[in-house]
Amino acid sequence: MTASYFSAPRVGTGTSYLPPLQSTMQASYKSYAPPFNVSQSLNLPWKPSTYYRGSQKSMPVAASAPELNPSHLYRDDVVSRVPPLMPSARTALFSKYTPADWFKSNNTNYRTSDMTRSSAQRLRDENVRICHDTDARTVKTQQTSSKNLGNRLQDINFWKSELNHELDEMGKEINDLNTWKNRLENALKETEGPLQIAQECLFNRENRQGIDLVNDAVEKELLKEVDKIRQSQDKLKAMIDKANTQLSMNRAGQHELEKDLQDKFRALNIDNKCHQMSNTSPGLGFHRGIEGVDQTVSLPESWAKFSNDNILRSQRERNASKGLRSDSDSVMQETSNEMWTQYNNVNVAFDGRIAETMDARNSIQNHLAKVLQEINEMENNISLLRKSIKDKEAPMQVAQSRLESRTRRPNVELCRDQPQHRLVSEVGEIYETVDILQNRLRSAEAALQELVRTKSTLEHDLQVKNNSLYLDKEKCMGLRRTYPTTAKLAGYRGQ
């Protein structure tokens, strides 16, 4: 029986007459050679389906081949007359390929091998070139990155030095402002002493007595001094508040500088570590997807502007702090001069008042001496008047006794004679004289009372003047000798 491919036309478009090879060679070149299409004519009808089914377990290649259905190549009557054949007899009965097919298949394999080797060689050469190019590009890229990191380190070092310089200047300014603030506080403390002195002087002068309790020039100047001191305290307190506020602003600027400098220090360490990192550095590893993570929050312009803004802010605060220190010095000098000027005014008023009081005291002492002398003389005069009145008793008794005795004359002897008239006249004269003396005595006693009252008034006034002199000269002026110096009022210690 002739095989069907000898008489039937070939079906398919392929040029190979061999079935697909299931060998290791095909597996080794399957990545580079095109797929081998099996022609339809190679689905041989002489391989019955029973063979594939019977040998499916032992032949994995046949198991993967499609099951042939030769009914479309043979007629039913021909197939029904073909006796079943054993597999061992098929090789002898049927031929697979012709010699031409064999040579042709070999030539095809040779050409395929040459093409595959040539393609592989070209691929190898291209791969070597690409490796060299990629190595050079990788080295260049790494060098560029290292150069950029070096430039970045220079920028960070520049701003780090600027921040360090400004931080040092701000630290000095904060120390200077603290010194001036301490001076202001010392000046404020020193004003407590003068204020207490002035108030103590006013309080002491309230102990003046009588007519000396006047609203004199000293009291007016003391009240002015108290007002000046309180105004000075208000100015110093206002400057201290401004100094505290400015110190807060300075420390805020210093904090921003320190924070920025700390960030620069950390970034410098990180970038320096990255700059020194090489292909042989320890601790290298893959970080998949890190190039897609963008956690940046600034650009180079905004980065530089941030540090520049911090420096500008610190400079503005330093300039404001210097101006505040100048204003503080002016205020301390002004308050010190005002307080000392008023202190001198008060002392001048005290000196004038003390001089007036001493003159008044001396005058009172002179008048008191004269009054005492007059009192003594008036007392002697009163004694003289009393003695004169007492001396009139005996003549009065004599005259009245004579008249009483003459009343006992008998009868007509009771004559109103000249002696009678004289005796009556004598009694009247004595009465008149006694009345005059009594009136003079009362007048003298009244004058003596006035003199005593004047003496008491002068003595009281003298006591008042002495008290005023003691208060003004001893107590007040003694207190005012402890007035602080202008250096202390200006806030300097130990001056």
Side-chain angles (χ1 to χ4, degrees), residues 63-101:
S64 61
E67 183 178 355
L68 300 178
N69 186 8
S71 61
H72 65 286
L73 299 177
Y74 301 98
R75 297 188 298 272
D76 294 337
D77 55 349
V78 176
V79 176
S80 62
R81 292 197 297 272
V82 176
L85 298 177
M86 296 301 292
S88 61
R90 292 173 184 162
T91 305
L93 294 176
F94 303 102
S95 297
K96 296 182 180 179
Y97 305 103
T98 63
D101 293 333

Short mmCIF file of all heavy atoms in Angstrom, two decimals, residues 63-101:
data_model
loop_
_atom_site.label_atom_id
_atom_site.label_comp_id
_atom_site.label_asym_id
_atom_site.label_seq_id
_atom_site.Cartn_x
_atom_site.Cartn_y
_atom_site.Cartn_z
N ALA A 63 2.01 12.07 23.55
CA ALA A 63 0.87 12.48 24.38
C ALA A 63 0.51 13.91 24.14
O ALA A 63 -0.65 14.29 24.27
CB ALA A 63 1.21 12.24 25.85
N SER A 64 1.51 14.75 23.82
CA SER A 64 1.20 16.15 23.58
C SER A 64 0.77 16.43 22.16
O SER A 64 0.31 17.52 21.87
CB SER A 64 2.43 17.02 23.93
OG SER A 64 3.50 16.65 23.08
N ALA A 65 0.96 15.43 21.21
CA ALA A 65 0.56 15.63 19.82
C ALA A 65 -0.93 15.49 19.69
O ALA A 65 -1.57 14.77 20.43
CB ALA A 65 1.28 14.63 18.91
N PRO A 66 -1.52 16.14 18.72
CA PRO A 66 -2.98 16.01 18.53
C PRO A 66 -3.35 14.65 17.97
O PRO A 66 -2.57 13.99 17.26
CB PRO A 66 -3.29 17.15 17.56
CG PRO A 66 -2.03 17.36 16.81
CD PRO A 66 -0.92 17.06 17.75
N GLU A 67 -4.53 14.20 18.29
CA GLU A 67 -5.02 12.89 17.82
C GLU A 67 -5.41 13.00 16.35
O GLU A 67 -6.16 13.91 15.96
CB GLU A 67 -6.22 12.46 18.64
CG GLU A 67 -6.75 11.09 18.26
CD GLU A 67 -7.92 10.69 19.13
OE1 GLU A 67 -8.22 11.47 20.07
OE2 GLU A 67 -8.52 9.65 18.90
N LEU A 68 -4.86 12.12 15.51
CA LEU A 68 -5.10 12.18 14.07
C LEU A 68 -6.42 11.53 13.72
O LEU A 68 -6.81 10.52 14.27
CB LEU A 68 -3.96 11.48 13.32
CG LEU A 68 -2.55 12.06 13.53
CD1 LEU A 68 -1.52 11.23 12.77
CD2 LEU A 68 -2.52 13.50 13.08
N ASN A 69 -7.06 12.12 12.79
CA ASN A 69 -8.31 11.57 12.26
C ASN A 69 -8.16 11.44 10.76
O ASN A 69 -8.31 12.42 10.01
CB ASN A 69 -9.47 12.50 12.61
CG ASN A 69 -10.83 11.91 12.22
OD1 ASN A 69 -10.89 10.74 11.83
ND2 ASN A 69 -11.86 12.72 12.30
N PRO A 70 -7.72 10.25 10.27
CA PRO A 70 -7.39 10.09 8.83
C PRO A 70 -8.62 9.93 7.96
O PRO A 70 -8.50 9.64 6.77
CB PRO A 70 -6.55 8.82 8.81
CG PRO A 70 -7.03 8.04 9.97
CD PRO A 70 -7.49 8.99 10.99
N SER A 71 -9.81 10.14 8.49
CA SER A 71 -11.01 9.93 7.69
C SER A 71 -11.14 10.93 6.57
O SER A 71 -11.77 10.66 5.55
CB SER A 71 -12.26 9.98 8.57
OG SER A 71 -12.34 11.26 9.17
N HIS A 72 -10.45 12.13 6.70
CA HIS A 72 -10.53 13.11 5.64
C HIS A 72 -9.53 12.83 4.54
O HIS A 72 -9.54 13.49 3.50
CB HIS A 72 -10.28 14.52 6.20
CG HIS A 72 -8.90 14.69 6.72
ND1 HIS A 72 -8.49 14.12 7.91
CD2 HIS A 72 -7.84 15.34 6.20
CE1 HIS A 72 -7.23 14.44 8.15
NE2 HIS A 72 -6.80 15.20 7.08
N LEU A 73 -8.58 11.80 4.72
CA LEU A 73 -7.61 11.44 3.68
C LEU A 73 -7.96 10.12 2.98
O LEU A 73 -7.48 9.90 1.84
CB LEU A 73 -6.21 11.33 4.32
CG LEU A 73 -5.67 12.63 4.99
CD1 LEU A 73 -4.29 12.32 5.63
CD2 LEU A 73 -5.52 13.73 3.96
N TYR A 74 -8.65 9.27 3.61
CA TYR A 74 -8.97 7.93 3.03
C TYR A 74 -10.45 7.75 2.89
O TYR A 74 -11.23 8.31 3.67
CB TYR A 74 -8.42 6.80 3.94
CG TYR A 74 -6.92 6.88 4.14
CD1 TYR A 74 -6.40 7.46 5.27
CD2 TYR A 74 -6.06 6.36 3.16
CE1 TYR A 74 -5.04 7.51 5.46
CE2 TYR A 74 -4.69 6.43 3.36
CZ TYR A 74 -4.17 7.00 4.49
OH TYR A 74 -2.84 7.06 4.67
N ARG A 75 -10.74 6.95 1.99
CA ARG A 75 -12.12 6.58 1.82
C ARG A 75 -12.47 5.50 2.81
O ARG A 75 -11.63 4.72 3.23
CB ARG A 75 -12.37 6.07 0.40
CG ARG A 75 -12.14 7.14 -0.71
CD ARG A 75 -12.61 6.59 -2.06
NE ARG A 75 -11.84 5.41 -2.45
CZ ARG A 75 -10.70 5.49 -3.13
NH1 ARG A 75 -10.20 6.65 -3.46
NH2 ARG A 75 -10.07 4.36 -3.47
N ASP A 76 -13.73 5.45 3.13
CA ASP A 76 -14.14 4.49 4.17
C ASP A 76 -13.95 3.05 3.72
O ASP A 76 -13.58 2.19 4.53
CB ASP A 76 -15.63 4.73 4.52
CG ASP A 76 -15.81 6.09 5.18
OD1 ASP A 76 -14.79 6.61 5.74
OD2 ASP A 76 -16.93 6.64 5.17
N ASP A 77 -14.14 2.80 2.45
CA ASP A 77 -14.01 1.42 2.01
C ASP A 77 -12.58 0.96 2.00
O ASP A 77 -12.26 -0.20 2.27
CB ASP A 77 -14.63 1.27 0.62
CG ASP A 77 -14.03 2.26 -0.39
OD1 ASP A 77 -13.29 3.18 0.09
OD2 ASP A 77 -14.29 2.16 -1.58
N VAL A 78 -11.63 1.89 1.67
CA VAL A 78 -10.22 1.51 1.67
C VAL A 78 -9.76 1.24 3.08
O VAL A 78 -9.04 0.29 3.37
CB VAL A 78 -9.37 2.62 1.00
CG1 VAL A 78 -7.90 2.28 1.09
CG2 VAL A 78 -9.79 2.80 -0.45
N VAL A 79 -10.19 2.10 3.98
CA VAL A 79 -9.75 1.91 5.35
C VAL A 79 -10.30 0.63 5.93
O VAL A 79 -9.64 -0.08 6.68
CB VAL A 79 -10.20 3.14 6.19
CG1 VAL A 79 -9.84 2.92 7.66
CG2 VAL A 79 -9.52 4.42 5.70
N SER A 80 -11.48 0.32 5.55
CA SER A 80 -12.09 -0.89 6.12
C SER A 80 -11.42 -2.16 5.64
O SER A 80 -11.49 -3.19 6.31
CB SER A 80 -13.58 -0.92 5.76
OG SER A 80 -13.73 -0.98 4.34
N ARG A 81 -10.67 -2.08 4.46
CA ARG A 81 -10.01 -3.26 3.96
C ARG A 81 -8.57 -3.39 4.42
O ARG A 81 -7.92 -4.40 4.17
CB ARG A 81 -10.03 -3.25 2.42
CG ARG A 81 -11.45 -3.43 1.82
CD ARG A 81 -11.33 -3.82 0.36
NE ARG A 81 -10.69 -2.77 -0.43
CZ ARG A 81 -11.35 -1.76 -0.99
NH1 ARG A 81 -12.65 -1.68 -0.90
NH2 ARG A 81 -10.67 -0.85 -1.68
N VAL A 82 -8.03 -2.34 5.07
CA VAL A 82 -6.62 -2.40 5.52
C VAL A 82 -6.57 -3.19 6.81
O VAL A 82 -7.26 -2.84 7.78
CB VAL A 82 -6.04 -0.99 5.75
CG1 VAL A 82 -4.63 -1.11 6.31
CG2 VAL A 82 -6.04 -0.23 4.43
N PRO A 83 -5.80 -4.26 6.84
CA PRO A 83 -5.72 -5.06 8.05
C PRO A 83 -4.90 -4.32 9.11
O PRO A 83 -4.04 -3.51 8.77
CB PRO A 83 -5.03 -6.33 7.59
CG PRO A 83 -4.20 -5.92 6.42
CD PRO A 83 -4.95 -4.84 5.71
N PRO A 84 -5.14 -4.55 10.36
CA PRO A 84 -4.33 -3.93 11.41
C PRO A 84 -2.91 -4.43 11.39
O PRO A 84 -2.67 -5.62 11.14
CB PRO A 84 -5.06 -4.32 12.70
CG PRO A 84 -5.79 -5.55 12.34
CD PRO A 84 -6.19 -5.45 10.88
N LEU A 85 -1.95 -3.46 11.62
CA LEU A 85 -0.52 -3.80 11.58
C LEU A 85 0.08 -3.62 12.96
O LEU A 85 -0.33 -2.74 13.73
CB LEU A 85 0.20 -2.89 10.57
CG LEU A 85 -0.27 -3.01 9.10
CD1 LEU A 85 0.48 -2.00 8.25
CD2 LEU A 85 -0.06 -4.41 8.56
N MET A 86 1.12 -4.36 13.23
CA MET A 86 1.84 -4.26 14.47
C MET A 86 2.83 -3.10 14.39
O MET A 86 3.33 -2.79 13.31
CB MET A 86 2.60 -5.55 14.77
CG MET A 86 1.67 -6.73 14.98
SD MET A 86 0.53 -6.46 16.34
CE MET A 86 1.68 -6.48 17.67
N PRO A 87 3.14 -2.45 15.44
CA PRO A 87 4.10 -1.31 15.41
C PRO A 87 5.47 -1.73 14.95
O PRO A 87 6.19 -0.94 14.34
CB PRO A 87 4.12 -0.81 16.85
CG PRO A 87 2.81 -1.24 17.42
CD PRO A 87 2.47 -2.56 16.74
N SER A 88 5.92 -2.92 15.23
CA SER A 88 7.25 -3.37 14.83
C SER A 88 7.38 -3.50 13.34
O SER A 88 8.47 -3.46 12.80
CB SER A 88 7.59 -4.69 15.52
OG SER A 88 6.64 -5.68 15.14
N ALA A 89 6.28 -3.67 12.61
CA ALA A 89 6.32 -3.86 11.17
C ALA A 89 6.20 -2.56 10.41
O ALA A 89 6.34 -2.53 9.20
CB ALA A 89 5.22 -4.81 10.72
N ARG A 90 5.91 -1.46 11.07
CA ARG A 90 5.70 -0.20 10.36
C ARG A 90 6.98 0.32 9.76
O ARG A 90 6.98 0.91 8.67
CB ARG A 90 5.12 0.84 11.31
CG ARG A 90 3.70 0.50 11.74
CD ARG A 90 3.28 1.48 12.81
NE ARG A 90 1.97 1.12 13.31
CZ ARG A 90 1.45 1.53 14.46
NH1 ARG A 90 2.16 2.34 15.23
NH2 ARG A 90 0.25 1.14 14.83
N THR A 91 8.13 0.20 10.44
CA THR A 91 9.39 0.71 9.94
C THR A 91 9.78 0.02 8.64
O THR A 91 10.30 0.65 7.71
CB THR A 91 10.49 0.52 10.98
OG1 THR A 91 10.08 1.14 12.20
CG2 THR A 91 11.80 1.15 10.53
N ALA A 92 9.50 -1.19 8.61
CA ALA A 92 9.83 -1.94 7.39
C ALA A 92 8.86 -1.64 6.28
O ALA A 92 9.21 -1.67 5.11
CB ALA A 92 9.86 -3.44 7.67
N LEU A 93 7.68 -1.37 6.59
CA LEU A 93 6.67 -1.16 5.57
C LEU A 93 6.64 0.26 5.06
O LEU A 93 6.33 0.49 3.89
CB LEU A 93 5.29 -1.53 6.11
CG LEU A 93 5.10 -3.01 6.44
CD1 LEU A 93 3.72 -3.23 7.06
CD2 LEU A 93 5.24 -3.87 5.20
N PHE A 94 6.94 1.23 5.92
CA PHE A 94 6.78 2.64 5.52
C PHE A 94 8.11 3.37 5.65
O PHE A 94 8.85 3.16 6.62
CB PHE A 94 5.75 3.35 6.42
CG PHE A 94 4.41 2.67 6.40
CD1 PHE A 94 4.01 1.86 7.44
CD2 PHE A 94 3.56 2.81 5.31
CE1 PHE A 94 2.78 1.25 7.43
CE2 PHE A 94 2.34 2.19 5.30
CZ PHE A 94 1.93 1.40 6.35
N SER A 95 8.42 4.30 4.78
CA SER A 95 9.59 5.18 4.82
C SER A 95 9.17 6.53 5.33
O SER A 95 8.16 7.08 4.88
CB SER A 95 10.23 5.31 3.42
OG SER A 95 10.71 4.07 2.97
N LYS A 96 10.02 7.14 6.28
CA LYS A 96 9.67 8.44 6.85
C LYS A 96 10.09 9.58 5.95
O LYS A 96 9.29 10.47 5.63
CB LYS A 96 10.32 8.62 8.22
CG LYS A 96 9.82 7.64 9.25
CD LYS A 96 10.50 7.93 10.58
CE LYS A 96 10.01 6.96 11.65
NZ LYS A 96 10.66 7.20 12.94
N TYR A 97 11.41 9.68 5.56
CA TYR A 97 11.94 10.78 4.78
C TYR A 97 12.79 10.23 3.66
O TYR A 97 13.31 9.11 3.73
CB TYR A 97 12.78 11.72 5.64
CG TYR A 97 12.06 12.26 6.85
CD1 TYR A 97 12.32 11.75 8.12
CD2 TYR A 97 11.12 13.28 6.69
CE1 TYR A 97 11.64 12.24 9.22
CE2 TYR A 97 10.46 13.77 7.80
CZ TYR A 97 10.72 13.26 9.06
OH TYR A 97 10.06 13.74 10.13
N THR A 98 13.01 11.09 2.70
CA THR A 98 13.90 10.76 1.59
C THR A 98 15.29 11.27 1.93
O THR A 98 15.46 12.13 2.79
CB THR A 98 13.41 11.39 0.29
OG1 THR A 98 13.45 12.82 0.44
CG2 THR A 98 11.99 10.94 -0.02
N PRO A 99 16.34 10.86 1.26
CA PRO A 99 17.68 11.41 1.48
C PRO A 99 17.76 12.89 1.22
O PRO A 99 18.48 13.60 1.89
CB PRO A 99 18.55 10.61 0.52
CG PRO A 99 17.86 9.31 0.37
CD PRO A 99 16.40 9.60 0.40
N ALA A 100 17.02 13.32 0.22
CA ALA A 100 17.03 14.78 -0.04
C ALA A 100 16.47 15.54 1.14
O ALA A 100 16.99 16.61 1.51
CB ALA A 100 16.21 15.08 -1.30
N ASP A 101 15.42 14.97 1.72
CA ASP A 101 14.88 15.62 2.91
C ASP A 101 15.90 15.64 4.05
O ASP A 101 16.02 16.63 4.78
CB ASP A 101 13.62 14.91 3.40
CG ASP A 101 12.48 15.05 2.40
OD1 ASP A 101 12.49 16.05 1.66
OD2 ASP A 101 11.58 14.20 2.42
#
